[in-house]
Amino acid sequence: MASIINGGSGSSSSRRRASKLIFSAIPFSCLLLLLFFFFFFFSSSSTRKPFSTTTPHLHLHHHSHFETLNTAKAHCQGTLYPDLCVSSLSSIPNLASKTIPQIISSLINRTTSEVHDSSRNCSNFLRRYHLDLRQQFALTDCLELFDDTIDAFRTVLSDLRINASSHKDDIESFLSSAIANQFTCLDGFSHVLDGGLRPKIERKLRHISHLVSNSLAMVRRISKRKKRREALEGYGRVVRGFPEWIKSGDRKLLQSAGNTTNANIVVAKDGTGNFTTIGEAIAAAPHKSKTRFIIYIKAGAYFENVEVNKSKTNLMFIGDGIGKTVIKANRSFAQNFTTFRSATLAVSGAGFLAKGITVENSAGYENHQAVAMRSSSDLSAYYLCSFVGYQDTLYVHTLRQFYRECDVYGTVDFIFGDASVVFEFCNLYARKPGPQQKNMFTAQARNDPNENTGIVLHKCKIAAAEDLIPVQSSVLSYLGRPWKEYSRTVIIRSYIGSLIDPAGWSEWNGTFALSTLYYAECENRGPGSNTTNRVKWPGYRVINSTEASQFSVANFIEGGEWLGATTFPFMLGL
């Protein structure tokens, strides 16, 4: 009994220990209650509506993101820069619902902004930097080339919107020219000790060219449908090989030497025409002409640098014949001009035609790059003309061009550029070069395998000029060398003279482009045409007429759609 009495009336320390146990049990009980609530809530969450409405939106967002990413990856297959392509396409709203033309249009719009940024940068450099003359020319070239690129994009966007299938050739041509323009800008700095000026713009320009490359790769997925070009270029319906608007009497004018009665403007050195200089006549010609505007240039030597800018469309120069009507100047690299800016005659206006004239750059081999003629004119054609120079004589810069029965004289890389161009029944003459120099007939500049560009020589003559013949055995001459990585040159059923080295083709720099170029020969003749000892590069090949047919006038430059309106003769097939 005593123990019971003692416990009931225990000490204060015993009471403190009891209270500790009671209070320590309270948080433990709360913890158990919280755990019970936690498991009860989440075990039933699959059958209950969530408290927050944000959860399904997050789920849909992730689903949409992955769907967009997968769609972008699918569209970017086959592009050269897939990571850039995926990141570009992933930002397009509702990508899965877009057509290929709409996707390409979105890419072009983005690229246009990038070109505007580069243009502003170059303008700032011109204003803020103390530059030498060649640097100024190089930056001025870039500004012009950016402007041309933006115009090309406008044309592409319009074609994509109207009917991409019918305009596929146009789209490919203008996107190819946009790539070439970026590299032409950079080439202006290739010989410049610019104190770091080129690196300031190069990264941006290569980024632009990569964006265009991805767009160009996707254009290949558009099915092609033929169309007649007709009024689109302002030529009208073609009747018996002539535009409908050309009267029968005028057809004789276009097929023969010019005369004063039918031309719109006459240029004459002796003052018997409307003007005494070609530059004045061009200034007087209409802007954006929808019909052919003829400038007859009488016999004489015109010492001037002539430019047909892009606003002067559908112009035609008619002279009195090779060696009679001569346009002559001497700009060169040695005078601090860029290659682009050195041209005696530079043409950008679409639909340009020339007949019966000689264009010469008389700077000489010692002055290096010196262009006689530069053409960036789409759907341009030249008949019975002569182009005379040494290094870089004929700059077939961009877009679609045709040369028939023309003569070209030069030494180093004397037909060069990144146009889609066919030479038909032309005479190509290598001249005596400077000491230690080699003759290179071509230097094609395709930068991307999806470009539709290349130099095609069909039924041409490749031979030595009179000044080379006596020393021909001591001078190495080649059909061409690769200026850019995907250089493409094709020689079909042409005469190749004995001046050509048995190897046929020359390297540009070591093994550069030897695996990626496309150099082909088909059924040529002459002492230099034997292919037994030709180069063994992966990119070189001897082809048959079936493969060569893709480089015919009809297939390579769509000549059947527009050359009839030029009044010049041409062969559609081989």
Side-chain angles (χ1 to χ4, degrees):
M1 294 291 295
S3 62
I4 295 174
I5 294 170
N6 290 339
S9 59
S11 67
S12 61
S13 62
S14 298
R15 288 195 297 272
R16 283 196 298 270
R17 284 195 300 271
S19 64
K20 281 184 180 180
L21 289 172
I22 291 170
F23 285 109
S24 63
I26 291 173
F28 180 75
S29 300
C30 291
L31 179 61
L32 286 175
L33 185 61
L34 287 171
L35 287 172
F36 174 80
F37 179 81
F38 178 86
F39 282 110
F40 174 81
F41 176 82
F42 283 98
S43 65
S44 59
S45 63
S46 60
T47 59
R48 297 164 63 234
K49 293 183 179 180
F51 292 112
S52 172
T53 58
T54 60
T55 304
H57 285 283
L58 287 171
H59 175 71
L60 289 173
H61 172 75
H62 287 299
H63 176 73
S64 176
H65 172 73
F66 285 119
E67 182 184 21
T68 299
L69 194 61
N70 289 333
T71 303
K73 288 179 178 178
H75 284 305
C76 292
Q77 288 183 0
T79 59
L80 293 188
Y81 310 98
D83 291 342
L84 174 63
C85 180
V86 170
S87 65
S88 301
L89 265 58
S90 296
S91 63
I92 299 175
N94 304 315
L95 179 64
S97 66
K98 304 290 187 185
T99 64
I100 291 291
Q102 288 172 333
I103 291 170
I104 297 171
S105 294
S106 295
L107 280 180
I108 296 301
N109 282 323
R110 171 178 172 174
T111 312
T112 300
S113 298
E114 303 268 4
V115 175
H116 279 299
D117 287 345
S118 289
S119 183
R120 282 190 290 270
N121 287 340
C122 287
S123 295
N124 289 335
F125 292 147
L126 275 172
R127 287 195 302 268
R128 298 175 183 176
Y129 283 65
H130 181 69
L131 305 172
D132 62 32
L133 187 60
R134 190 176 290 132
Q135 289 172 323
Q136 293 176 44
F137 280 136
L139 285 172
T140 303
D141 291 350
C142 290
L143 292 175
E144 180 177 331
L145 291 159
F146 294 151
D147 195 44
D148 290 345
T149 299
I150 291 168
D151 280 349
F153 288 162
R154 289 194 188 104
T155 301
V156 169
L157 289 171
S158 176
D159 289 343
L160 287 167
R161 184 174 61 252
I162 295 170
N163 192 330
S165 295
S166 295
H167 293 277
K168 185 177 180 181
D169 293 324
D170 302 316
I171 293 168
E172 288 178 334
S173 293
F174 282 101
L175 289 182
S176 296
S177 74
I179 292 176
N181 288 343
Q182 310 316 304
F183 285 94
T184 303
C185 169
L186 291 176
D187 288 336
F189 298 94
S190 59
H191 300 289
V192 178
L193 298 174
D194 58 17
L197 191 57
R198 174 173 171 145
K200 287 178 169 59
I201 65 172
E202 183 167 8
R203 183 177 178 183
K204 188 79 168 177
L205 265 60
R206 291 192 180 275
H207 180 66
I208 290 169
S209 70
H210 294 172
L211 287 170
V212 180
S213 172
N214 288 338
S215 296
L216 190 56
M218 281 189 277
V219 171
R220 303 189 73 176
R221 301 182 189 179
I222 298 174
S223 60
K224 180 177 176 179
R225 190 169 68 210
K226 283 285 185 182
K227 65 174 176 63
R228 292 196 64 83
R229 198 167 299 277
E230 295 187 347
L232 176 68
E233 309 301 336
Y235 296 140
R237 190 164 63 92
V238 175
V239 179
R240 296 178 183 176
F242 293 90
E244 186 178 34
W245 51 267
I246 296 180
K247 299 175 182 178
S248 59
D250 292 340
R251 294 173 191 172
K252 294 179 180 179
L253 159 71
L254 295 172
Q255 289 181 315
S256 62
N259 64 62
T260 59
T261 59
N262 293 283
N264 298 100
I265 289 178
V266 177
V267 180
K269 292 284 289 185
D270 60 7
T272 58
N274 304 102
F275 301 101
T276 57
T277 69
I278 301 168
E280 290 174 306
I282 294 170
H287 292 277
K288 302 294 182 182
S289 176
K290 295 295 183 180
T291 57
R292 182 68 60 207
F293 190 88
I294 300 172
I295 298 176
Y296 167 44
I297 308 169
K298 282 189 173 184
Y302 297 83
F303 296 96
E304 53 184 306
N305 288 94
V306 176
E307 182 175 1
V308 180
N309 67 42
K310 62 186 176 184
S311 72
K312 302 292 183 175
T313 56
N314 288 322
L315 284 193
M316 182 177 191
F317 286 2
I318 297 181
D320 280 328
I322 289 175
K324 295 179 180 177
T325 297
V326 180
I327 307 172
K328 190 173 183 177
N330 63 356
R331 287 179 181 173
S332 69
F333 169 79
Q335 297 174 333
N336 290 317
F337 287 97
T338 60
T339 303
F340 185 82
R341 194 61 55 185
S342 69
T344 298
L345 172 61
V347 182
S348 298
F352 179 80
L353 304 180
K355 180 187 174 186
I357 62 171
T358 292
V359 183
E360 181 178 356
N361 191 313
S362 60
Y365 65 77
E366 65 275 11
N367 289 303
H368 305 289
Q369 293 92 337
V371 175
M373 164 82 184
R374 167 172 56 84
S375 177
S376 307
S377 170
D378 194 29
L379 308 178
S380 58
Y382 308 84
Y383 178 43
L384 296 174
C385 291
S386 180
F387 307 96
V388 183
Y390 285 89
Q391 183 171 347
D392 293 355
T393 302
L394 180 55
Y395 195 174
V396 287
H397 181 233
T398 54
L399 300 166
R400 292 160 288 191
Q401 306 178 28
F402 177 71
Y403 295 76
R404 170 81 180 211
E405 297 172 50
C406 292
D407 299 334
V408 189
Y409 294 84
T411 55
V412 181
D413 306 333
F414 65 92
I415 300 175
F416 73 110
D418 197 22
S420 303
V421 56
V422 177
F423 292 83
E424 198 171 77
F425 293 101
C426 291
N427 301 311
L428 315 179
Y429 295 111
R431 306 176 76 177
K432 180 183 176 181
Q436 310 303 317
Q437 286 186 334
K438 303 173 185 178
N439 285 327
M440 303 288 171
F441 276 77
T442 65
Q444 206 279 330
R446 193 167 64 138
N447 290 282
D448 189 288
N450 291 310
E451 287 185 60
N452 63 353
T453 61
I455 294 172
V456 178
L457 309 179
H458 177 222
K459 293 185 176 291
C460 291
K461 177 183 178 181
I462 296 170
E466 288 185 6
D467 64 339
L468 178 62
I469 292 174
V471 295
Q472 178 178 309
S473 61
S474 63
V475 175
L476 290 172
S477 296
Y478 296 92
L479 297 170
R481 59 176 180 162
W483 184 17
K484 303 295 182 181
E485 189 171 359
Y486 294 92
S487 180
R488 181 161 64 178
T489 301
V490 183
I491 304 176
I492 307 168
R493 296 179 180 172
S494 294
Y495 173 88
I496 302 178
S498 59
L499 77 163
I500 296 299
D501 186 86
W505 307 82
S506 177
E507 300 87 354
W508 183 274
N509 184 13
T511 60
F512 169 74
L514 303 188
S515 297
T516 50
L517 59 77
Y518 182 101
Y519 284 171
E521 296 181 55
C522 174
E523 301 177 5
N524 296 307
R525 59 189 178 87
S529 65
N530 191 323
T531 59
T532 303
N533 295 313
R534 287 295 196 252
V535 293
K536 307 302 180 186
W537 307 337
Y540 170 77
R541 65 212 67 197
V542 177
I543 60 176
N544 58 30
S545 57
T546 301
E547 185 172 351
S549 65
Q550 66 182 300
F551 301 103
S552 67
V553 165
N555 293 327
F556 195 57
I557 57 172
E558 302 83 45
E561 298 180 25
W562 62 278
L563 277 173
T566 67
T567 74
F568 299 161
F570 59 91
M571 290 178 60
L572 285 177
L574 299 184

